[in-house]
Amino acid sequence: MYGRSVEDPAGFWSDIASEFYWKQKWGQPVYTHNLDIRNGKIDIQWFKGGKTNICYNCLDRNIDAGNGDKVAILWEGNDLGRDATLTYTQLLARVCQLANYLKSIGVGKGDAVIIYLPMLMELPIAMLACARIGAIHSVVFAGFSAESLAQRIVDCKPKIVITCSAVKRGAKTIFLKDIVDDALTQSAQNSVKIDVCLTFENESALQKQMTKWVEGRDIWWQDVVPKYPVTCDVEWVDAEDPLFLLYTSGSTGKPKGVLHTTGGYMVYTATTFKYAFDYKPKDIYWCTADCGWITGHSYVTYGPLLNGATNVVFEGAPNFPDAGRCWDIVDKYKISIFYTAPTLVRSLMREGDEHVTRYSRKSLRVLGSVGEPINPSAWRWFFNVVGDGKCPISDTWWQTETGGFMITPMPGAWPQKPGSATLPFFGVQPVIVDEKGVELEGECSGYLCVKNSWPSAFRTLYGDHERYETTYFSAFPGYYFTGDGCNRDKDGYYWLTGRVDDVINVRYIYTRVLIHPIYLLLLFELYGAYVQWTPHWHS
Ligand code: AMP
């Protein structure tokens, strides 16, 4: 499959895309791209001309296939004993009600919607409702400050902000609505006034009357949304129409609004989910990420639901009320695929094995890791203690920008090496280059780039295509530069070593800007003027 995916990407991805519902099939060619800045504007398009809807493919398509009564979301609250479920049919009804409400206040295709919610079921519901009507969601992690939220509101000028009263994380209550109020005041000072702030009353955290209220702007979700019909027509969008914006903090300057489009993202996240976790219809899947990050977009909301999976959404902190909470949840729902981050693995490892071994965990089949290189000792603990030595670990390397897994093991299909993300996913052609941008062969160490496009590659940085080109396509012309350092061993396995983009940006500025002859001339002239005028200033 990998061979075909790189020799015939158009045929390979068309065959997979055909398994989804398209109102209108895409045109030819299946994809076009220019990744070489020397040949003009960077441009990536997949399945252009195809009309589809990702919400329809997540919900209606699975219901039509007979899975309406299958559980889509198993929600586990922060406090023990608080939980809820939604089947695919129930989820669709809730999504449609919100979609109808959004339409009623004038939100439509191409409008931005900011979602500042914790891990309630309402978070994926809100994402899917936007997708259903062609609106562009931008989820802001509900741990971010009022300033960060305001910055994002000012950048994308949403028609509405969706939030909730408060959330409990562990023993702490966080008053989200207060943070939003503060952010909306700040954005109004920057000439971006928000007319509607839809607020979900999160009963697990706080009662209504304790929340501050701006009459005319703030609306309780529970007062309006349930009144709307449980069916809602789908807005068919072009494969290349925007699906969402997700801000990622740049190492310098303001956050970058990473823009993903619909068709390619849909096909790629569904396919990576299916293969990298060896997904089977009976699996119960839990990804501990928050939907405020890309992992929550691709592998809490879209990837699992596109596959008709049963998906756990967890509101709380993984160490509350104690370090055994994750395994308590695993046993409670009989989770078979568990996907998390090395930082959580390491922190639970420090708490001692007894928090793990007092739970059965016998349902576990596949483990996953994302976010940073997983050090071999944490990998071994995860494998031996959590997985009882029988669950392969999918160490998935990818980024907000890539939309889906890029380098990842296929569980059980090839040997693993603790600490290595192993080999590229279908269609991905990674290369390692030296500091001059020369492609290195075989065993080597350098900068990780990708030399082709893949369906879920981000298409631009919102409102700043030039920054997109400079940040990702200029340091090593002809390639997408990931910003990561990487080693490749003699077996062709990839070992990520961490971020190197700062080094490269400095190098870029130095070589392309400072040493540019015009700048040198200008500096020379300025120096001349300084020498000529300094005595006069002194006198
Ligand atoms: P983000 O932009 O927040 O999605 O973070 C992406 C970055 O996280 C990558 O560029 C890597 O530096 C790091 N990363 C993510 N997953 C892995 C992984 N499995 N192994 C090593 N580094 C990873």
Side-chain angles (χ1 to χ4, degrees):
M1 284 177 79
Y2 181 77
R4 180 170 178 231
S5 75
V6 292
E7 279 150 29
D8 174 23
F12 179 87
W13 289 112
S14 287
D15 285 355
I16 293 179
S18 305
E19 293 164 19
F20 295 85
Y21 182 82
W22 297 80
K23 187 74 180 165
Q24 179 185 305
K25 207 181 162 190
W26 54 91
Q28 292 296 332
V30 175
Y31 72 96
T32 56
H33 65 218
N34 171 38
L35 306 184
D36 194 334
I37 192 85
R38 294 163 300 194
N39 297 337
K41 191 176 167 219
I42 301 296
D43 183 47
I44 300 170
Q45 304 196 351
W46 280 81
F47 310 113
K48 180 88 182 143
K51 297 264 180 284
T52 190
N53 183 290
I54 196 168
C55 172
Y56 184 91
N57 275 285
C58 285
L59 304 179
D60 311 57
R61 185 177 58 106
N62 283 315
I63 295 167
D64 291 349
N67 285 325
D69 293 334
K70 184 172 178 182
V71 173
I73 295 180
L74 290 163
W75 181 76
E76 172 78 6
N78 177 73
D79 294 334
L80 287 172
R82 286 193 72 90
D83 54 29
T85 60
L86 282 180
T87 64
Y88 272 84
T89 304
Q90 291 167 333
L91 178 58
L92 175 62
R94 300 275 292 271
V95 166
C96 286
Q97 286 183 315
L98 180 61
N100 283 321
Y101 166 74
L102 292 174
K103 283 209 286 193
S104 78
I105 60 157
V107 179
K109 187 168 175 233
D111 290 331
V113 172
I114 287 246
I115 305 171
Y116 186 72
L117 281 171
M119 289 297 274
L120 301 172
M121 289 200 277
E122 283 64 26
L123 177 44
I125 288 173
M127 294 164 78
L128 291 162
C130 291
R132 192 164 191 89
I133 62 172
I136 307 166
H137 59 73
S138 183
V139 182
V140 178
F141 174 57
F144 279 171
S145 66
E147 291 73 39
S148 306
L149 178 58
Q151 206 173 24
R152 286 151 175 80
I153 292 171
V154 169
D155 195 62
C156 76
K157 302 174 187 56
K159 277 231 165 126
I160 176 175
V161 172
I162 304 179
T163 187
C164 77
S165 46
V167 63
K168 268 182 89 178
R169 213 167 273 140
K172 266 205 310 211
T173 301
I174 300 147
F175 299 94
L176 290 185
K177 178 62 168 51
D178 288 353
I179 299 172
V180 173
D181 285 344
D182 192 357
L184 293 184
T185 307
Q186 291 182 34
S187 65
Q189 285 159 0
N190 285 287
S191 313
V192 178
K193 190 173 156 287
I194 300 301
D195 294 331
V196 187
C197 175
L198 184 69
T199 310
F200 184 81
E201 185 198 357
N202 184 10
E203 288 174 10
S204 59
L206 188 75
Q207 295 305 306
K208 241 183 198 180
Q209 50 274 26
M210 290 172 71
T211 301
K212 280 187 234 139
W213 212 241
V214 176
E215 283 306 329
R217 184 197 71 188
D218 299 347
I219 294 167
W220 286 111
W221 175 309
Q222 282 91 333
D223 285 351
V224 289
V225 177
K227 294 188 182 136
Y228 281 85
V230 294
T231 58
C232 173
D233 286 345
V234 166
E235 178 80 37
W236 300 108
V237 298
D238 192 279
E240 279 302 332
D241 278 337
L243 172 63
F244 67 84
L245 265 181
L246 185 58
Y247 287 89
T248 168
S249 47
S251 38
T252 52
K254 65 173 190 152
K256 300 176 278 189
V258 169
L259 185 116
H260 282 285
T261 56
T262 305
Y265 177 84
M266 171 173 84
V267 171
Y268 196 80
T269 51
T271 311
T272 44
F273 175 82
K274 178 174 164 185
Y275 288 101
F277 293 132
D278 184 34
Y279 171 73
K280 302 282 188 296
K282 285 213 170 81
D283 279 317
I284 310 285
Y285 166 80
W286 180 23
C287 165
T288 63
D290 189 290
C291 287
W293 309 108
I294 189 67
T295 307
H297 282 64
S298 303
Y299 301 108
V300 174
T301 302
Y302 292 115
L305 295 178
L306 285 164
N307 280 279
T310 297
N311 194 6
V312 173
V313 172
F314 176 46
E315 180 193 33
N319 54 0
F320 179 80
D322 61 44
R325 183 70 187 273
C326 286
W327 325 118
D328 181 46
I329 297 173
V330 164
D331 281 359
K332 176 173 175 182
Y333 296 112
K334 311 229 168 344
I335 287 160
S336 49
I337 306 172
F338 176 72
Y339 185 36
T340 194
T343 143
L344 180 65
V345 174
R346 282 192 299 268
S347 83
L348 296 179
M349 186 167 106
R350 277 194 296 271
E351 299 288 335
D353 294 4
E354 62 282 4
H355 290 292
V356 185
T357 51
R358 68 187 147 103
Y359 295 97
S360 131
R361 296 158 286 111
K362 69 172 189 295
S363 55
L364 286 175
R365 195 169 68 76
V366 176
L367 302 174
S369 167
V370 62
E372 58 179 304
I374 177 162
N375 48 308
S377 63
W379 193 102
R380 288 202 175 86
W381 183 82
F382 200 25
F383 182 77
N384 291 322
V385 180
V386 174
D388 274 339
K390 66 178 172 59
C391 306
I393 297 176
S394 285
D395 177 1
T396 60
W397 174 82
W398 61 297
Q399 308 175 295
T400 306
E401 291 86 345
T402 68
F405 304 153
M406 299 293 281
I407 301 180
T408 176
M410 302 263 178
W414 54 70
Q416 301 206 270
K417 299 189 186 190
S420 166
T422 72
L423 300 165
F425 190 73
F426 302 139
V428 177
Q429 297 182 62
V431 290
I432 298 183
V433 299
D434 66 12
E435 68 282 359
K436 295 197 187 75
V438 176
E439 222 175 292
L440 302 172
E441 298 292 330
E443 212 175 329
C444 61
S445 171
Y447 304 106
L448 182 64
C449 294
V450 184
K451 71 170 171 195
N452 63 319
S453 77
W454 60 99
S456 69
F458 67 137
R459 305 301 199 244
T460 191
L461 291 179
Y462 183 67
D464 201 349
H465 199 72
E466 203 183 317
R467 189 176 180 198
Y468 171 72
E469 295 180 332
T470 312
T471 311
Y472 302 98
F473 296 93
S474 297
F476 301 114
Y479 303 111
Y480 163 67
F481 174 46
T482 66
D484 279 352
C486 188
N487 301 330
R488 188 169 50 214
D489 70 15
K490 61 180 178 10
D491 299 321
Y493 278 43
Y494 290 83
W495 300 75
L496 279 301
T497 56
R499 303 293 300 166
V500 289
D501 48 353
D502 284 352
V503 178
I504 296 302
N505 283 340
V506 168
R507 173 182 164 264
Y508 175 76
I509 292 165
Y510 181 72
T511 55
R512 309 290 149 94
V513 183
L514 288 184
I515 305 193
H516 196 284
I518 293 178
Y519 286 92
L520 287 178
L521 202 67
L522 200 71
L523 281 174
F524 188 70
E525 291 294 323
L526 281 172
Y527 180 70
Y530 173 77
V531 170
Q532 192 178 349
W533 290 104
T534 309
H536 301 288
W537 292 337
H538 287 298
S539 63

